[in-house]
């Protein structure tokens, strides 16, 4: 059973302007968290979601990526990788804290706090499914298949 997460009534900066998660126009919403722009796993994941965007659109689904990177970093990442999905800058970690995705990680023998790759599917603002400790490769495809099953 997914945890209870209520989408916040506030605006967040994205690559295309401000967004309020409670005002997303589609009935389905996918929010995925990733550690850092322009790193190998995060690029794989963002490009995969971008490649499948038309199929998600056909299922009335909005996809949003979230990391602690700045809007400028997101815009550079989007341009460099020709991304078609919107990215939220969560520098203050409002969403990261709400979704409990900041975890202790081991980077080259040092313990650091970072974003654990995680994805959440919402339907009309209600959390339907969550994925924790996600592996980037093949994940977007898995989410698409699960979404089709949820809508069947």
């Amino acid at each position: 059973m997914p945890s209870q997460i209520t989408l916040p009534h506030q605006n967040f900066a994205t690559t295309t302007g401000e967004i309020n998660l409670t005002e997303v126009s589609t009935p389905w919403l996918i929010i995925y968290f990733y550690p850092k722009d322009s790193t190998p796993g995060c690029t794989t994941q963002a490009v995969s979601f971008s490649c499948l965007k038309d199929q998600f659109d056909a299922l009335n689904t909005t996809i949003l990526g979230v990391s602690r990177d700045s809007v400028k970093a997101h815009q550079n990442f989007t341009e460099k990788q020709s991304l078609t999905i919107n990215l939220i800058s969560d520098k203050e970690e409002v969403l990261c804290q709400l979704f409990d995705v900041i975890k202790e990680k081991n980077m080259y023998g040092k313990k650091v706090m970072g974003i654990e790759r995680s994805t959440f599917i919402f339907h009309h603002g209600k959390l339907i499914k969550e994925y924790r400790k996600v592996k980037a490769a093949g994940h977007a495809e898995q989410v698409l298949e699960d979404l089709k099953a949820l809508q069947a």
Side-chain angles (χ1 to χ4, degrees):
M1 184 72 192
S3 49
Q4 290 300 90
I5 297 172
T6 304
L7 295 173
H9 288 278
Q10 71 184 82
N11 291 341
F12 294 95
T14 77
T15 42
T16 60
E18 299 265 309
I19 191 168
N20 184 317
L21 300 178
T22 62
E23 296 171 4
V24 170
S25 61
T26 58
W28 294 88
L29 172 63
I30 292 171
I31 301 174
Y32 80 93
F33 290 83
Y34 63 98
K36 189 149 183 56
D37 289 344
S38 301
T39 56
C42 299
T43 300
T44 295
Q45 194 172 19
V47 168
S48 296
F49 274 118
S50 287
C51 287
L52 296 172
K53 185 177 183 299
D54 289 347
Q55 292 181 59
F56 281 106
D57 286 348
L59 296 169
N60 292 313
T61 304
T62 298
I63 304 164
L64 297 168
V66 182
S67 79
R68 298 181 295 184
D69 293 298
S70 67
V71 170
K72 183 73 181 137
H74 280 345
Q75 287 168 335
N76 292 341
F77 184 39
T78 296
E79 261 177 57
K80 187 175 177 195
Q81 300 300 333
S82 302
L83 301 180
T84 57
I85 57 173
N86 206 352
L87 303 176
I88 294 175
S89 172
D90 192 27
K91 289 176 81 74
E92 282 78 44
E93 298 180 2
V94 172
L95 291 172
C96 290
Q97 296 296 334
L98 178 66
F99 284 82
D100 192 28
V101 298
I102 302 288
K103 304 291 181 189
E104 187 174 81
K105 300 164 98 177
N106 201 332
M107 295 286 281
Y108 310 108
K110 283 175 56 182
K111 298 227 182 286
V112 297
M113 297 304 282
I115 293 179
E116 177 182 81
R117 201 179 302 279
S118 308
T119 302
F120 303 84
I121 299 176
F122 286 86
H123 184 239
H124 293 295
K126 183 178 183 331
L127 182 61
I128 303 297
K129 187 168 178 69
E130 64 183 74
Y131 308 78
R132 302 278 182 169
K133 297 182 179 159
V134 168
K135 298 282 179 253
H139 179 62
E141 294 79 0
Q142 179 66 58
V143 172
L144 181 63
E145 291 310 307
D146 289 352
L147 186 65
K148 287 176 181 174
L150 287 168
Q151 293 187 9

